[in-house]
Amino acid sequence: MNTLILSTSEEDINLAASFIKEGGVVGMPTETVYGLAANALDENAVRRIFEAKGRPSDNPLIVHIAEFDDIERYGLVSEVPEVAKLLADKFWPGPLTIIMPKSDKVPEITTGGLDTVAVRLPSDKNAQRLIRASGCPLAAPSANISGSPSPTTANHVYSDMSGKISAVIDGGECRVGLESTVVSVKDDVVTVLRPGGVTVEDLEAVYDKVEVCDAVLNKLKEGETALSPGMKYKHYSPNARVILVKGGDKAYYDFINKQNKEDTITLCYKEDEDFVRIPAILMGSKADLEAQAHNLFADLRLIDACENVKTAYVRCPGTEGIGMAVLNRLIRAAGFEVIDLD
Ligand code: TXA
Ligand code: MG
């Protein structure tokens, strides 16, 4: 299959929508990361997404809509819980995915066999245009090969998916750079299953019963069922071994400058540049968590673009604001391997 790179012109969006109407898969820009979009209500189309990604079939997809009323228009859920209405009102359109009880209209393949469906209304105008032009809700996981860092540019999508999908729409760099916050809303409690662009602090500002699922920052225990199936898989990983390094500046510099320059790289802050004597990828300023989030996946992809790199030591971010989402991705990229220098 020849994969087209499309612009965001009216003509190109309509062409992308025509691929989707025929049951094809299209790379879609959103404000978080690029998605691999297909008609969420068409079993065969959704199967093509799983094939293109090489994704385990028990890992459910997020269903994207262009306006709140699409939930009813397409009959996606059996009920919209009151708390979900409140969250949608505050954070949609935007990087928040809400898990709700599913209706029979949503095929099992879309929800990985679960009786719930994850719904998101992206703020990206080109994503909204594609959903509207397609005339259906779009199932879309991140547009990377399963296990690799998520794509934040059309080029990332093309390099993972060329030959496997009909087209990718080039909408430029994704604003947030990390996937949406995924929450469940059971028994009046909002539980964060995956942190993202809408932070825990943002949720707490509008609702008083917010919990963070243990598995967000910790390894699942032996035999424990993942509330969000995506949590149990190794994720976001470059080919090089990634290790997180916890500790103050001096301890980090002492440690990192002892490493072999030939096959080791570090991901650190802009402020570290003058003190680190091995090759470094700068994640942004220490205090600029948004920049770190925005750059993270491109930085992880850059590790593999550097020749001979076997190990990447990454400075460990804090958990405040979007830092929790950055740490959640990094700790998985590292397969939970952390060196604590404190
Ligand atoms: O920002 C995003 O969310 C991007 C863009 C494209 O919208 N999409 C994305 O999809 O990150 P994906 O498939 O890479 O991640 C979806 C996560 C997975 O961890 C999956 O297990 C979880 O959401 N999920 C989906 N449906 C679920 C459900 N019904 N119950 C629990 N977890 C669910
Ligand atoms: Mg993903």
Side-chain angles (χ1 to χ4, degrees), residues 30-33 62 64 87 91-92 94-99 118-121 176-185 190-204 210-213 216 228 231 236 321-326 328-329:
T30 84
E31 74 279 19
T32 57
V33 301
I62 295 171
H64 296 69
L87 296 181
F91 299 110
W92 279 1
L96 180 72
T97 296
I98 307 175
I99 296 174
V119 184
R120 165 159 129 77
L121 201 180
V176 180
L178 292 181
E179 306 88 338
S180 62
T181 305
V182 178
V183 296
S184 70
V185 288
V190 172
T191 306
V192 175
L193 304 183
R194 179 178 73 182
V198 171
T199 65
V200 172
E201 291 87 339
D202 293 336
L203 293 166
E204 282 172 344
V210 177
E211 290 176 0
V212 178
C213 177
V216 160
S228 178
M231 283 191 209
Y236 318 115
I322 201 166
M324 185 186 284
V326 175
N328 168 271
R329 307 311 188 269

Side-chain angles (χ1 to χ4, degrees), residues 33 53 55 59 141-144 146-148 150-151 179 194 235-236:
V33 301
K53 261 189 87 98
R55 181 175 174 112
N59 195 0
S142 50
N144 50 288
S146 204
S148 300
S150 300
E179 306 88 338
R194 179 178 73 182
H235 238 130
Y236 318 115

Side-chain angles (χ1 to χ4, degrees), residues 30 36 40 42 49 60 72 95 117 119 133 138 167 180-181 184 192 199 211 225 229 232 248 267 279 281 319 337:
T30 84
L36 271 190
D42 176 344
I49 296 178
E72 204 180 302
V117 57
V119 184
L138 297 182
S180 62
T181 305
S184 70
V192 175
T199 65
E211 290 176 0
T225 319
K232 66 182 182 222
L267 267 67
I281 295 172
T319 57
E337 204 174 347

Side-chain angles (χ1 to χ4, degrees), residues 48-81:
R48 287 187 191 108
I49 296 178
F50 280 92
E51 282 165 9
K53 261 189 87 98
R55 181 175 174 112
S57 62
D58 68 346
N59 195 0
L61 306 181
I62 295 171
V63 176
H64 296 69
I65 55 176
E67 54 193 273
F68 184 84
D69 290 347
D70 282 353
I71 295 180
E72 204 180 302
R73 177 169 303 124
Y74 299 116
L76 299 179
V77 307
S78 59
E79 181 213 344
V80 182

